[in-house]
Amino acid sequence: MKIVSTIEELRDQLSGQLRTAFVPTMGNLHEGHLSLMRLARKHGDPVVASIFVNRLQFGPNEDFDKYPRTFQADVEKLEKEGVYVLFAPTEKELYPEPQEFRVSPPDGLGNTLEGEFRPGFFTGVSTVVLKLFSCVQPKVAVFGKKDYQQLMIVRNMARQFALPTQIIAAETWRADDGLALSSRNMYLSATERAEAPSLYRALTSVAGEVRSGHLDIYQLEHKAMDELASRGWNPDYISIRKQIDLQPPTAGDLAQGAPLVVLAAAKLGTTRLIDNLEI
């Protein structure tokens, strides 16, 4: 595996490649990330990964400085997966001057759910993804469904900008007890880790109710949030949305069986976890 830190080196390595498959990450890689590399290989060649902790998507009270950086371990994992190039730029390389041009998602998609609780987050994500796409120029790029709203925003951005990159969605990788793998899981205490699968169980319960014909969305959402709160969680939201645009479903949408997704974010102790389940 070749490790490059400059855009010039990256473009030299990828010169003439027309089927590059790209997986952007912030490092601290786990099995979920590695599953993205395997999926990327099925859709293109060579596989390029990036590791870059993007300051633009962290809020003023978030954990940019504390975000786990495990570069050497990440390199070893990527080598075992047969990744061809790892692009690991410094901040100075990717942002040699203040990044005053930004990509802002439409309010209806970018300011709801995660966007409501993390203002500016998706502008930071969209900006760095577009910049990384410009550097790598991939044929396909793989994003996990665990960050469902991010996946939708990147997919819509690629379409509206007519980017020559197909966005591939990868299923969420879970531990045996259902907990979605996340770099932030390492912050959980042993007691919290044992409780953490309750978030997925709450989503499973809501999805089961909807599939069985219980369509009082408001009641289902608030019941699930109350049950989590009773177990010591501090939920930000549990919300049933349409898959196509992440807007709340109307009565007509529900009657017509529009594809839905239930999304959740909640704090357990000091750790904020997100998850979702398509219905």
Side-chain angles (χ1 to χ4, degrees):
M1 183 176 72
K2 297 176 176 62
I3 303 173
V4 299
S5 59
T6 71
I7 297 169
E8 182 179 5
E9 289 176 297
L10 176 70
R11 289 177 173 163
D12 284 345
Q13 288 295 332
L14 298 179
S15 177
Q17 300 287 357
L18 301 177
R19 298 183 59 248
T20 300
F22 178 45
V23 184
T25 83
M26 293 208 301
N28 193 31
L29 303 182
H30 50 65
E31 189 61 31
H33 293 111
L34 303 182
S35 72
L36 303 184
M37 309 298 164
R38 294 171 206 138
L39 182 59
R41 192 179 303 111
K42 294 179 180 179
H43 290 273
D45 180 63
V47 175
V48 176
S50 66
I51 293 177
F52 181 70
V53 183
N54 178 40
R55 188 185 298 270
L56 294 187
Q57 69 195 64
F58 285 78
N61 298 315
E62 294 182 335
D63 54 356
F64 175 80
D65 291 325
K66 294 191 299 179
Y67 194 85
R69 291 159 171 86
T70 55
F71 188 75
Q72 194 53 48
D74 294 343
V75 166
E76 293 170 7
K77 291 173 182 176
L78 293 175
E79 285 179 329
K80 289 178 181 177
E81 294 299 331
V83 170
Y84 176 63
V85 172
L86 169 60
F87 180 43
T90 63
E91 270 195 298
K92 187 68 174 174
E93 177 67 19
L94 206 58
Y95 301 130
E97 57 186 279
Q99 188 66 37
E100 294 168 337
F101 285 87
R102 305 285 180 101
V103 181
S104 297
D107 288 348
L109 188 56
N111 290 347
T112 188
L113 300 169
E114 284 299 282
E116 178 181 348
F117 288 91
R118 302 180 69 186
F121 172 69
F122 287 119
T123 293
V125 168
S126 301
T127 301
V128 77
V129 168
L130 185 61
K131 194 155 193 178
L132 288 169
F133 281 4
S134 177
C135 297
V136 178
Q137 300 182 20
K139 181 69 173 177
V140 301
V142 179
F143 290 80
K145 285 187 179 180
K146 188 185 83 72
D147 297 293
Y148 202 88
Q149 190 173 5
Q150 172 179 279
L151 167 66
M152 296 297 294
I153 286 172
V154 170
R155 179 175 280 163
N156 289 353
M157 179 184 73
R159 186 187 69 251
Q160 288 200 7
F161 279 115
L163 301 180
T165 302
Q166 179 187 2
I167 307 303
I168 305 293
E171 296 298 328
T172 301
W173 196 275
R174 299 185 181 278
D176 291 342
D177 57 10
L179 177 64
L181 296 197
S182 168
S183 297
R184 289 188 168 90
N185 291 352
M186 66 179 292
Y187 297 142
L188 297 169
S189 68
T191 301
E192 290 167 346
R193 175 61 186 83
E195 169 60 25
S198 295
L199 186 62
Y200 181 58
R201 288 196 290 268
L203 294 176
T204 303
S205 176
V206 170
E209 292 275 9
V210 173
R211 292 187 186 113
S212 67
H214 186 166
L215 300 179
D216 186 338
I217 300 300
Y218 181 87
Q219 195 259 349
L220 287 175
E221 292 172 344
H222 283 264
K223 178 185 176 185
M225 289 181 69
D226 289 345
E227 288 179 355
L228 275 183
S230 73
R231 300 181 64 88
W233 292 72
N234 182 16
D236 284 339
Y237 59 83
I238 294 181
S239 188
I240 299 167
R241 299 294 178 101
K242 292 185 293 181
Q243 289 183 24
I244 191 170
D245 58 9
L246 296 187
Q247 295 305 299
T250 64
D253 294 326
L254 296 173
Q256 294 167 17
L260 304 174
V261 58
V262 54
L263 307 103
K267 274 189 176 179
L268 185 57
T270 60
T271 305
R272 187 174 184 274
L273 302 178
I274 66 170
D275 203 351
N276 65 82
L277 188 62
E278 291 178 326
I279 304 174

